[in-house]
Amino acid sequence: MSVTKKAVEKKATRAAFGDEIVRLGESNKDIYVVDIDIGKSCKTDKFIEKFPMQHINVGIAEQNGAGIAAGLATTGKIPFISTYAVFGSLRMAEQIRQEVCYPNLNVKIACSHGGLTPGNDGGSHQAIEDMGVMRSFPNMTVIMGADYHSTRKLIAEAAAMYGPVYLRFTRDAVPLIYDENETFEIGKAKQLRDGEDIAIIANGDTVRLAIEAAEQLEQNGVSVKLLDMHTIKPLDVEAVKDCLDIGRIITVEDHNILNGLGSAVAEVIAEAGKGQLARIGVQDRFGESAPYEKLLEINGITVENIVATANKLLTN
C-alpha cells in the first residue's frame, strides 16, 4: 500500500471506539462495557443509551472495574474496560496482571487519552509509559491505530480474538490516513511505502508525521520504506527484519522511548546483530501542561526532526 496524499479530515481515535463498540454491541450481545465513570469523555455514551443491560458503571474505582471485567469474562462475556490510559495501565496494573493476564481471560482494556494528546491536562494525565507497561505482561496484546478507520478495524479484530488486549486511543483529532475499506491484521504491520535508503517505523498518532517526513525525503531523492506498526505486541518481527537489509531504521512514537515501539524494534535489531536505529519519542521525561502539538515539538516528535534524523543516518 502507498499513501501519497496528506490527509486533511481529522477525527480522534476515541471516537472510533465509541462508534465501533456500538456496532459490535448490535451484532453480539456478549459485548459489555465496564465504565470508570467517564463514559462521555471515552465515547461510550451511545453504547450506554442503546444497550443499558450490557453496561456497568463502577464509578471512580478502576481496580474494581478490572475485577468485574474478569468476572464477566469467566461467564463467556467480552468486556471492554473503558477509561483513560493513565488509569487503565497504571492504577489497574496489578489487577490486569493477576486477574486478567495470569488466567488469560478475554478482557479488552480500551483506553482514551493516550500519550501526549491530553495536552493541557498536564503530565499527570499524559500516559507516556502505558504501552510499555502492558507489553511486559504475558498474554497481553498491545495495539494503537493510526487513525479513525484503522482503529475501528483493529477494535473489531480485538473483539474477535481471544485473550487480553490493550487498545490505546487519542484524545485529540488526528488526520484520516486510511480508506474505510482497508483491512488490518493484529500483529501484522501495514507497509505504506517501499524504499531502500531508510526505513521509518511509526505507530498511532505519529504515523501522520512519518508520512509527511517520507514525502519530504523522497522529494530530495531519498527512498523510504514506511511501516505503520499498529501492534507493538506481538511485534511483526519479520517486517522489522525486512528493514535490516536497509540498515538504517527510525522509530517514531508518542510514548516514552523506553519500553515502547523503539525498544521493541531495538530488541529485534540487537538479536539480529546488525542495523542502525534512531528512536524518536518522548525523551524519558514527564509531560507538562501545553497544547498537544507543542508537546510533540518539545520532545522532537516532528516532521522536521524525522527528516533531520534520516539525513544524519544517511551521512554516517
Side-chain angles (χ1 to χ4, degrees), residues 46-98:
K46 293 177 185 176
F47 186 95
I48 296 167
E49 182 178 349
K50 196 162 189 177
F51 309 108
M53 300 306 292
Q54 293 166 244
H55 172 261
I56 299 170
N57 186 348
V58 302
I60 305 173
E62 288 83 359
Q63 296 96 331
N64 190 32
I68 288 171
L72 286 168
T74 65
T75 69
K77 307 303 181 185
I78 306 172
F80 281 74
I81 304 171
S82 178
T83 185
Y84 291 167
V86 72
F87 302 138
S89 63
L90 300 177
R91 190 172 294 174
M92 290 164 49
E94 181 183 358
Q95 286 72 29
I96 291 171
R97 181 188 188 275
Q98 297 296 99

Side-chain angles (χ1 to χ4, degrees), residues 121-185:
D121 290 344
S124 63
H125 279 60
Q126 293 157 8
I128 51 91
E129 62 282 276
D130 56 321
M131 292 194 291
V133 171
M134 291 295 112
R135 88 176 184 100
S136 67
F137 292 156
N139 296 323
M140 180 64 80
T141 295
V142 181
I143 298 169
M144 186 178 188
D147 74 346
Y148 174 89
H149 293 309
S150 62
T151 299
R152 285 197 66 165
K153 293 296 179 67
L154 289 162
I155 292 166
E157 291 293 311
M161 67 167 277
Y162 183 89
V165 180
Y166 181 76
L167 294 151
R168 189 202 214 206
F169 313 128
T170 64
R171 176 193 183 276
D172 281 22
V174 292
L176 298 185
I177 296 169
Y178 296 103
D179 183 88
E180 61 183 347
N181 296 318
E182 193 73 34
T183 59
F184 292 84
E185 181 181 344

Side-chain angles (χ1 to χ4, degrees), residues 8-301:
V8 290
E9 186 180 353
K10 294 183 177 183
K11 285 187 177 182
T13 60
R14 61 174 169 158
F17 174 62
D19 292 339
E20 186 60 24
I21 198 68
V22 169
R23 190 194 71 80
L24 290 169
E26 289 171 344
S27 60
N28 187 345
K29 297 308 176 186
D30 286 332
I31 296 288
Y32 273 64
V33 166
V34 178
D35 254 317
I36 315 297
D37 209 33
I38 42 178
K40 185 175 181 180
S41 186
C42 291
K43 302 301 181 183
T44 57
D45 45 346
K46 293 177 185 176
F47 186 95
I48 296 167
E49 182 178 349
K50 196 162 189 177
F51 309 108
M53 300 306 292
Q54 293 166 244
H55 172 261
I56 299 170
N57 186 348
V58 302
I60 305 173
E62 288 83 359
Q63 296 96 331
N64 190 32
I68 288 171
L72 286 168
T74 65
T75 69
K77 307 303 181 185
I78 306 172
F80 281 74
I81 304 171
S82 178
T83 185
Y84 291 167
V86 72
F87 302 138
S89 63
L90 300 177
R91 190 172 294 174
M92 290 164 49
E94 181 183 358
Q95 286 72 29
I96 291 171
R97 181 188 188 275
Q98 297 296 99
E99 298 175 22
V100 175
C101 290
Y102 185 62
N104 195 28
L105 295 180
N106 195 24
V107 174
K108 319 303 175 184
I109 301 101
C111 289
S112 181
H113 293 54
L116 297 171
T117 63
N120 291 327
D121 290 344
S124 63
H125 279 60
Q126 293 157 8
I128 51 91
E129 62 282 276
D130 56 321
M131 292 194 291
V133 171
M134 291 295 112
R135 88 176 184 100
S136 67
F137 292 156
N139 296 323
M140 180 64 80
T141 295
V142 181
I143 298 169
M144 186 178 188
D147 74 346
Y148 174 89
H149 293 309
S150 62
T151 299
R152 285 197 66 165
K153 293 296 179 67
L154 289 162
I155 292 166
E157 291 293 311
M161 67 167 277
Y162 183 89
V165 180
Y166 181 76
L167 294 151
R168 189 202 214 206
F169 313 128
T170 64
R171 176 193 183 276
D172 281 22
V174 292
L176 298 185
I177 296 169
Y178 296 103
D179 183 88
E180 61 183 347
N181 296 318
E182 193 73 34
T183 59
F184 292 84
E185 181 181 344
I186 291 174
K188 183 72 173 177
K190 180 70 75 171
Q191 182 170 303
L192 305 183
R193 271 181 168 75
D194 198 12
E196 55 189 28
D197 294 329
I198 199 154
I200 302 175
I201 304 174
N203 76 346
D205 48 313
T206 67
V207 173
R208 63 179 174 104
L209 304 175
I211 291 170
E212 190 172 344
E215 290 173 348
Q216 290 189 19
L217 287 164
E218 290 183 346
Q219 288 170 5
N220 292 319
V222 178
S223 178
V224 179
K225 182 168 188 169
L226 176 57
L227 300 179
D228 171 2
M229 193 67 74
H230 49 73
T231 309
I232 70 166
K233 185 185 178 185
L235 189 74
D236 189 343
V237 173
E238 292 306 313
V240 177
K241 286 182 176 178
D242 286 343
C243 297
L244 294 179
D245 290 335
I246 296 173
R248 306 174 192 91
I249 302 172
I250 300 172
T251 57
V252 191
E253 60 191 316
D254 180 2
H255 187 277
N256 196 338
I257 58 170
L258 302 181
N259 207 23
L261 173 65
S263 290
V265 171
E267 290 159 14
V268 177
I269 293 173
E271 289 175 353
K274 63 177 182 178
Q276 189 176 8
L277 175 66
R279 294 176 294 163
I280 293 175
V282 178
Q283 299 299 302
D284 195 26
R285 53 168 289 171
F286 287 108
E288 56 191 278
S289 183
Y292 165 56
E293 295 289 345
K294 180 64 176 179
L295 292 170
L296 293 178
E297 181 184 339
I298 289 169
N299 284 279
I301 310 171

